[in-house]
Amino acid sequence: MGTILSATGQILTRAVTFQFTLDPTLDQTALFLKCAGARRFTFNHHLGLMKDNLDVRALEREATLEAADMTPSLSWSAFSFINEFNAWKSGRLSTSPENGDGSRGLAWRHEIPESVFECASRDAAQALKNWSDARAGIRAGNGVGFPRFSSKVRCTPSFRLRNRAKMTATQSIRFSDASHVRLPKIGDVRVHGPTRQIRRMLSLGRFHIYSATLTLRGEKWTASLTGVAAQFHPARRSTKHRHQAPVGIDRGITSLAVGADADGQLVARFEGVRELRNAEQRLIMAQKALARTTPGSKGRMKAKARLNKQHRKVALTRKHLVHQASSHLVAHCAALVLEDLNVAGMARNRRLAKSVHDAAMGELRCQVEYKAAWYGTEVVIADRFFASSKTCSGCGALKSDLPLSTRTYACEYCCLEIDRDVNAAINLARWAPVATTGT
Ligand SMILES: [Zn+2]
């Protein structure tokens, strides 16, 4: 992201998302569902065209056609997708739909904000890019299959609107008062919860909204307002009053995270795994209750709603806990050392999967990394093969094996007995200076 100047001359660098629960009217709810349908429709339109094109070309290749005789391949840039869909929906293409009254084009296109179609085209282009990058080996992680068609049953209703206004002009996405957000073509939608912070940032030119994503979570519509914000005041970025020595963070199995410095001082410990376990227990109960109901019955609908609510609770609990931990760490330490865990690989190990997801490890690292930039905190990622848990923080001896069930590290050389996670955190903290001197 380059340098972005707001209308008041603020330099906007922080990617920030504000999330609100909405309280739409019945008409608005109906419109939201239509928009989510339009998003799905547009996304699938592009995937369908692309899939047909790829299939035809694959057949032609099998028939050993000359490259010049083959059907030309379609471009999947966001630009060409947006243009194609625009022409298609307004009846300018030979493939455009024909309506009963003799008109051409997508009959319901005027009911939907233009931006919904445009963002859906962008999403489809991005999904195809991810897939092709994965095939070309540009993208890390597991193989990405051809994007899945968006299904009405399987997919959460959601759509995105772009704030198309220039920074200096009146914004198309804005707060019309303390409890209403104004969305293009949709109008004022009631917002739950306090909006003072975001409105203040907007009025000072310290935040600019890029887009709003509306999603139906459980029974509630939420809006995520994504944009760029100004940097924190220098006083908040100062590391003077923080823990100076690098703090190693072990993303524990029984605790969410443990922080300790090279001298062995415990700096922070975040519990919260039990809270998640309890939430998950209730989730399992809701699942069982659902299984006992008769398909199609009223009881099943109720049980399903209760299950969705629990799902959302677990996700929110996790998010909240990880945000608390990451904010505290970056605001109270001058430098952090994190382990480079192969979270994708660990989650595949079925026995470990639950704990790994409990600890929300990947999420913690991701949050620490972006928040560190806000607070001017230094983050060092230790090598994946650094044996932080198996090394003794007292004498440096290395255990060949340390099962996960062993909660205490007991060294057979120097007789040190120490909490397993604290031991690992101390080792990580010591990794930092080694890394910076380049040995
Ligand atoms: Zn030892």
Side-chain angles (χ1 to χ4, degrees):
M1 208 186 302
T3 307
I4 299 157
L5 274 183
S6 80
T8 56
Q10 298 272 352
I11 301 168
L12 305 180
T13 51
R14 283 191 302 142
V16 172
T17 300
F18 286 90
Q19 197 174 310
F20 299 98
T21 303
L22 299 176
D23 201 358
T25 63
L26 283 177
D27 285 350
Q28 285 172 341
T29 306
L31 181 55
F32 288 176
L33 284 171
K34 258 188 197 166
C35 288
R39 188 255 168 213
R40 201 171 54 234
F41 181 89
T42 313
F43 186 86
N44 289 345
H45 169 91
H46 293 301
L47 282 198
L49 285 182
M50 192 50 71
K51 196 167 182 304
D52 288 348
N53 182 254
L54 290 169
D55 288 350
V56 166
R57 284 174 60 84
L59 283 177
E60 287 172 350
R61 218 169 292 127
E62 255 174 52
T64 60
L65 235 66
E66 293 286 327
D69 299 333
M70 278 171 68
T71 311
S73 62
L74 283 181
S75 153
W76 59 53
S77 72
F79 181 76
S80 57
F81 272 11
I82 291 168
N83 283 340
E84 191 275 340
F85 196 80
N86 249 333
W88 182 84
K89 78 168 159 41
S90 44
R92 281 185 273 126
L93 295 186
S94 60
T95 50
S96 294
E98 277 173 45
N99 304 311
D101 59 2
S103 67
R104 286 173 63 83
L106 199 58
W108 42 269
R109 64 181 187 271
H110 298 298
E111 298 169 36
I112 308 294
E114 185 60 39
S115 181
V116 172
F117 296 117
E118 192 193 303
C119 289
S121 295
R122 282 180 194 281
D123 291 349
Q126 185 63 48
L128 285 161
K129 184 175 185 301
N130 291 348
W131 165 71
S132 85
D133 282 359
R135 273 210 316 184
I138 300 168
R139 200 170 192 270
N142 295 342
V144 178
F146 189 80
R148 296 225 287 182
F149 283 89
S150 187
S151 132
K152 191 172 183 174
V153 184
R154 209 181 45 230
C155 298
T156 311
S158 176
F159 63 96
R160 192 150 50 91
L161 297 159
R162 257 192 352 141
N163 190 9
R164 293 160 70 96
K166 284 203 183 106
M167 295 237 185
T168 44
T170 305
Q171 306 292 295
S172 57
I173 298 175
R174 63 179 185 271
F175 281 85
S176 41
D177 60 47
S179 55
H180 290 89
V181 63
R182 181 162 298 173
L183 301 171
K185 198 148 183 172
I186 293 172
D188 288 352
V189 184
R190 208 179 152 75
V191 170
H192 265 305
T195 58
R196 210 176 71 98
Q197 193 195 1
I198 184 170
R199 280 187 297 120
R200 195 179 143 74
M201 285 170 74
L202 285 170
S203 69
L204 292 174
R206 291 180 62 82
F207 185 51
H208 174 72
I209 299 171
Y210 278 149
S211 66
T213 304
L214 275 73
T215 309
L216 181 60
R217 299 177 203 271
E219 294 158 341
K220 296 253 197 301
W221 279 94
T222 61
S224 295
L225 304 178
T226 305
V228 273
Q231 273 202 342
F232 284 153
H233 191 269
R236 269 182 91 181
R237 290 173 57 81
S238 163
T239 57
K240 251 194 306 194
H241 305 291
R242 304 196 206 157
H243 197 93
Q244 289 301 319
V247 174
I249 307 297
D250 186 58
R251 292 166 283 184
I253 299 291
T254 53
S255 315
L256 190 65
V258 175
D261 66 13
D263 298 331
Q265 190 191 338
L266 183 68
V267 178
R269 182 193 279 277
F270 299 95
E271 300 300 341
V273 173
R274 178 163 307 179
E275 265 173 75
L276 273 177
R277 281 267 155 77
N278 290 345
E280 271 178 355
Q281 212 57 50
R282 286 193 294 273
L283 184 71
I284 291 167
M285 274 156 62
Q287 237 148 15
K288 284 183 176 162
L290 176 69
R292 282 193 298 267
T293 56
T294 324
S297 68
K298 216 171 182 179
R300 190 176 192 92
M301 269 168 61
K302 275 189 196 161
K304 195 146 196 189
R306 245 175 267 139
L307 177 66
N308 284 344
K309 209 169 170 180
Q310 280 307 332
H311 264 299
R312 183 153 162 67
K313 253 191 183 152
V314 169
L316 281 178
T317 308
R318 171 176 304 145
K319 209 168 151 186
H320 179 69
L321 290 170
V322 177
H323 269 299
Q324 266 185 332
S326 58
S327 291
H328 183 92
L329 286 169
V330 293
H332 288 88
C333 308
L336 296 168
V337 191
L338 272 82
E339 219 173 335
D340 185 10
L341 286 175
N342 179 3
V343 175
M346 285 178 86
R348 265 203 301 274
N349 175 343
R350 290 184 70 197
R351 251 176 352 129
L352 259 176
K354 202 169 146 58
S355 302
V356 169
H357 288 137
D358 264 358
M361 292 173 171
E363 218 167 320
L364 184 68
R365 164 155 171 205
C366 177
Q367 287 185 11
V368 162
E369 281 188 326
Y370 75 72
K371 288 182 186 173
W374 302 354
Y375 286 89
T377 310
E378 193 189 338
V379 176
V380 178
I381 305 295
D383 191 278
R384 180 172 296 180
F385 302 104
F386 176 57
S388 58
S389 348
K390 290 179 193 162
T391 307
C392 171
S393 60
C395 67
L398 190 67
K399 274 189 196 292
S400 58
D401 190 36
L402 184 68
L404 274 174
S405 53
T406 316
R407 301 312 318 157
T408 304
Y409 187 100
C411 179
E412 52 262 47
Y413 297 98
C414 69
C415 301
L416 174 77
E417 272 196 31
I418 184 170
D419 177 274
R420 170 207 180 95
D421 297 337
V422 177
N423 181 60
I426 295 171
N427 285 327
L428 281 167
R430 287 180 186 158
W431 202 85
V434 178
T436 48
T437 53
T439 38

